[in-house]
Amino acid sequence: MATRSAIAMKTPEGKIKAIYCHWDGYVDHNGKILLNDYSDIEKVKALIDLGDLSCLRSEIGEKHDFDAKYSDEPELPMTDNWCMAYHRDRGEEWSGTAPQTIDDAVAFVDCFDGSSCEYFYLFDGRDWLVSNGTKDSNGFPIFDFVEVEILKEIAHA
């Protein structure tokens, strides 16, 4: 079963540009990858510009056959460290997989909550924040630093 997530960045205009990610959205996987491998603003932009993902990996990679990981054919290049994007790698229509620009954090969580996302990652230009969709008494999503959530998981293990 998939652990869906949404991955986003704050734009210079104050909007949020976001994509959907189908697999491994939990903090111990996607959170760690974002924290460790996507701390540079240019790499974060390149990730978001891929559009919706099947799975996040430590490298953006290049266009490859979406089913390559299931094939023994050596002519299907791919590395396990490459992201798998629905448009780039599976050829899905860009109109259905393109990044979405959203006004604020409330709209970000609300927009992707309908996709059954369990985690919402937001890069603020310096740090990765994460929410599990819980909101405060005013209806605002509660975000914390990814590092803090990773430490909480370690402490509870």
Side-chain angles (χ1 to χ4, degrees):
M1 185 167 177
T3 304
R4 297 168 179 90
S5 63
I7 302 170
M9 65 178 292
K10 193 168 186 176
T11 69
E13 301 78 31
K15 302 281 186 180
I16 294 174
K17 191 172 180 182
I19 60 174
Y20 166 82
C21 184
H22 190 72
W23 291 105
D24 302 329
Y26 47 93
V27 174
D28 195 43
H29 188 270
N30 280 5
K32 282 184 178 177
I33 290 174
L34 292 168
L35 183 64
N36 294 327
D37 299 310
Y38 292 91
S39 59
D40 174 82
I41 188 72
E42 293 306 317
K43 193 169 180 185
V44 174
K45 284 181 188 178
L47 174 68
I48 300 297
D49 286 344
L50 277 177
D52 292 348
L53 301 174
S54 173
C55 59
L56 173 69
R57 296 291 186 253
S58 60
E59 295 178 32
I60 291 169
E62 300 172 9
K63 181 173 175 43
H64 59 277
D65 187 306
F66 193 83
D67 296 319
K69 73 178 195 170
Y70 304 109
S71 174
D72 293 328
E73 300 174 40
E75 66 273 4
L76 296 175
M78 189 204 153
T79 173
D80 289 340
N81 292 332
W82 288 1
C83 291
M84 294 187 77
Y86 289 118
H87 174 71
R88 180 190 71 182
D89 303 320
R90 192 156 74 178
E92 289 190 17
E93 291 293 323
W94 183 243
S95 61
T97 64
Q100 298 181 46
T101 301
I102 302 161
D103 287 333
D104 55 40
V106 174
F108 166 51
V109 171
D110 289 346
C111 177
F112 284 91
D113 193 36
S115 301
S116 300
C117 287
E118 297 178 51
Y119 295 94
F120 304 87
Y121 295 97
L122 177 61
F123 188 69
D124 67 2
R126 207 171 67 211
D127 295 300
W128 279 104
L129 307 170
V130 63
S131 173
N132 65 2
T134 302
K135 295 181 179 179
D136 67 15
S137 60
N138 295 315
F140 294 103
I142 300 169
F143 281 87
D144 205 345
F145 294 99
V146 169
E147 298 99 319
V148 171
E149 292 302 314
I150 290 171
L151 289 171
K152 286 179 186 176
E153 286 188 6
I154 292 170
H156 294 289

